Amino acid sequence: MQFLEILEKKRDSGRLSIAEISFFIEGYTAGRIPDYQASALLMAIFLNGLDTDETVWLTESMLYSGLVLDLGDIAGIKVDKHSTGGVGDKTSLVIAPICAALGVTIPMISGRGLGHTGGTLDKLEAIPGFDVNLDLDRYRDTLRRTGLCLIGQTKEIAPADKKLYALRDVTGTVANRSLISASIMSKKLAEGIDGLVLDVKAGRGAFMERLEDAETLARLMISIGNRMNKRVSALITDMNQPLGTHIGNALEVIESILVLKGESDPHRTDLVELSYALAAHMIVMGDRAGSYEEALGMVQQSIDNGSAFEKFKEIVREQGGEDTCLDDLSLLPSATMTCLINAAEGGYIDSLAALSIGRGAVLIGAGRQTLDSVIDPGVGIILNKKIGSRVEPGEAVMEIHYNSEEKLAEAMSQFEGAISISKDPVPIPDVILKVLDEGETT
Ligand code: URA
């Protein structure tokens, strides 16, 4: 088989066979197909699409490019959550300890930042010493003892996705529903879970802007999960504005800790509502509660009695991190300079474009612009206002935490352009737009 023929077939909108898809995945994973050819095929797929069968074949090829873990020897139903990617989305850091504190086993294998969106691994690495690169023996052992483990893809888990994910990030080929589905489902199905709750983002800061497209993506992933005998449900959630108030790696760790400690802020209600809802769905899927309402009550209890925060400290310690940082947040990395972005006029915040804020965050160093960019964990943004907030002329809407004047200058137009203000009151948007239960397939 010639890779060039496969590439040309998809360029001309042809349908790839299972053999052609596995030829691509095997060849690319083994290094026989170079990045420039893989990039060209990704772009052809991005432009011309894959149908459901091609997407399932791609997922399977990526899944079997590495080890498929069997966690059958670890007690309990294993449940994970995965988000399609957003700005300020730190729910994994909140819900993983909540669910583990409530007895659900959480084997969480996460990704790094992609495009303008942040990644759980980059956030966890903002905690000094935290090791996301545990080998599989330590992963199993940690999971067995603490009910939770937070790692990145090891070289054994879906290695095809690991390579493709990094390549898509720098070739403008992220926002395609088949590529996203195959990427997420291959690594999630490889980690040995019984069930998965998906957080599929919709809006201008999401890879899928329109609600209908996000729903199609969610249904596609539920279908793939069902074909592989896994329980999968999905929440479609808003990503027009960043989630919560903090964006950037250490800043997102700080906000997660505030949520785990029950420290409320009116601008953080979206993050709290979504985290609680995702956790409650996972608790029901993990058979720890008989109803969603009961599970929500348990989530609140785990915050009120401190067990969720204690579980977070435990996992930080287990994975080599300095848990003293969680009690003294000033020990986390921070930026050396801050500047305010003020409202040009008074009124109500009408838009706080997640895409622009995410792009701005990448430009000041919170994300990667190339494969080998190094993340600056301390930089980021704190939002003082959210959509619907009243703002006076000249009042600060956001605070930028940065380490380089040059990078800030590059990012400034993104931050300023993210804000729009209306004279008339603007309703506070819902964060949860739709819930798709298990079985709601394509
Ligand atoms: N998250 C993933 O794991 N993969 C994607 O392609 C997008 C979001």
Side-chain angles (χ1 to χ4, degrees), residues 7 11 59 64 75 78 105 117 130 137 146 151 187 225 245 272 328 337 379-380 420 427:
L7 219 173
R11 179 199 65 194
T59 311
Y64 293 111
K78 276 93 37 248
T105 308
T117 69
F130 196 103
D137 287 339
T146 64
I151 61 165
K187 61 180 165 270
T245 49
V272 173
D328 179 356
M337 294 175 275
V379 300
S420 78

Side-chain angles (χ1 to χ4, degrees), residues 82-85 110-112 114 117 153 161 165 168 173-174 176 179-185 187-188 207:
H82 197 83
S83 145
T84 54
S110 305
R112 298 200 173 272
L114 193 59
T117 69
Q153 266 166 284
D161 176 60
Y165 191 98
R168 286 167 58 219
T173 53
V174 171
N176 171 276
L179 295 176
I180 295 176
S181 299
S183 162
I184 293 178
M185 296 308 286
K187 61 180 165 270
K188 291 288 132 178
F207 295 130

Side-chain angles (χ1 to χ4, degrees), residues 27-302:
Y28 182 60
T29 311
R32 290 190 296 276
I33 296 171
D35 282 346
Y36 57 84
Q37 278 193 313
S39 308
L41 181 62
L42 289 173
M43 187 56 82
I45 291 174
F46 184 91
L47 296 173
N48 297 323
L50 296 178
D51 66 19
T52 304
D53 282 338
E54 287 175 294
T55 308
V56 171
W57 296 331
L58 180 65
T59 311
E60 279 173 351
S61 300
M62 287 167 65
L63 169 66
Y64 293 111
S65 67
L67 258 187
V68 180
L69 295 181
D70 178 358
L71 299 178
D73 58 324
I74 297 177
I77 299 178
K78 276 93 37 248
V79 183
D80 194 5
K81 177 242 60 158
H82 197 83
S83 145
T84 54
V87 180
D89 179 4
K90 67 282 289 172
T91 58
S92 290
L93 273 57
V94 177
I95 63 184
I98 291 178
C99 291
L102 292 168
V104 186
T105 308
I106 309 288
M108 193 175 265
I109 299 187
S110 305
R112 298 200 173 272
L114 193 59
H116 64 282
T117 69
T120 301
L121 296 183
D122 298 326
K123 294 169 203 185
L124 289 168
E125 283 181 344
I127 302 172
F130 196 103
D131 185 2
V132 296
N133 297 312
L134 307 187
D135 63 29
L136 290 177
D137 287 339
R138 251 190 91 194
Y139 168 72
R140 280 173 178 283
D141 182 50
T142 308
L143 195 56
R144 188 175 288 111
R145 284 181 301 103
T146 64
L148 171 63
C149 195
L150 302 159
I151 61 165
Q153 266 166 284
T154 64
K155 57 184 182 326
E156 297 95 339
I157 300 275
D161 176 60
K162 191 169 176 156
K163 274 188 91 175
L164 284 171
Y165 191 98
L167 189 62
R168 286 167 58 219
D169 191 20
V170 291
T171 54
T173 53
V174 171
N176 171 276
R177 68 166 177 260
S178 293
L179 295 176
I180 295 176
S181 299
S183 162
I184 293 178
M185 296 308 286
S186 62
K187 61 180 165 270
K188 291 288 132 178
L189 296 172
E191 70 186 22
I193 46 169
D194 304 301
L196 177 65
V197 177
L198 293 164
D199 176 3
V200 179
K201 307 286 186 192
R204 270 161 292 156
F207 295 130
M208 296 290 134
E209 254 190 55
R210 298 175 335 145
L211 180 61
E212 308 86 275
D213 294 333
E215 184 169 342
T216 311
L217 171 64
R219 286 178 184 276
L220 185 56
M221 288 193 281
I222 295 175
S223 305
I224 295 171
N226 287 357
R227 282 216 208 176
M228 303 195 185
N229 295 322
K230 304 290 176 192
R231 299 176 63 181
V232 183
S233 63
L235 272 63
I236 317 275
T237 70
D238 179 67
M239 190 35 71
N240 281 303
Q241 65 177 336
L243 193 60
T245 49
H246 291 41
I247 300 112
N249 298 292
L251 289 174
E252 295 194 39
V253 172
I254 291 175
E255 192 179 16
S256 305
I257 292 167
L258 297 177
V259 175
L260 287 168
K261 286 185 157 175
E263 290 186 24
S264 58
D265 179 317
H267 298 126
R268 189 175 295 136
T269 48
D270 54 353
L271 172 65
V272 173
E273 182 186 338
L274 179 55
S275 302
Y276 279 32
L278 288 166
H281 281 280
M282 293 165 75
I283 290 160
V284 172
M285 203 175 260
D287 262 353
R288 292 282 159 176
S291 71
Y292 177 72
E293 287 65 33
E294 187 193 344
L296 270 185
M298 292 164 67
V299 171
Q300 188 61 56
Q301 244 177 9
S302 75

Side-chain angles (χ1 to χ4, degrees), residues 355-368:
L355 178 61
S356 309
I357 296 173
R359 285 185 174 153
V362 171
L363 288 171
I364 58 171
R368 294 178 189 76

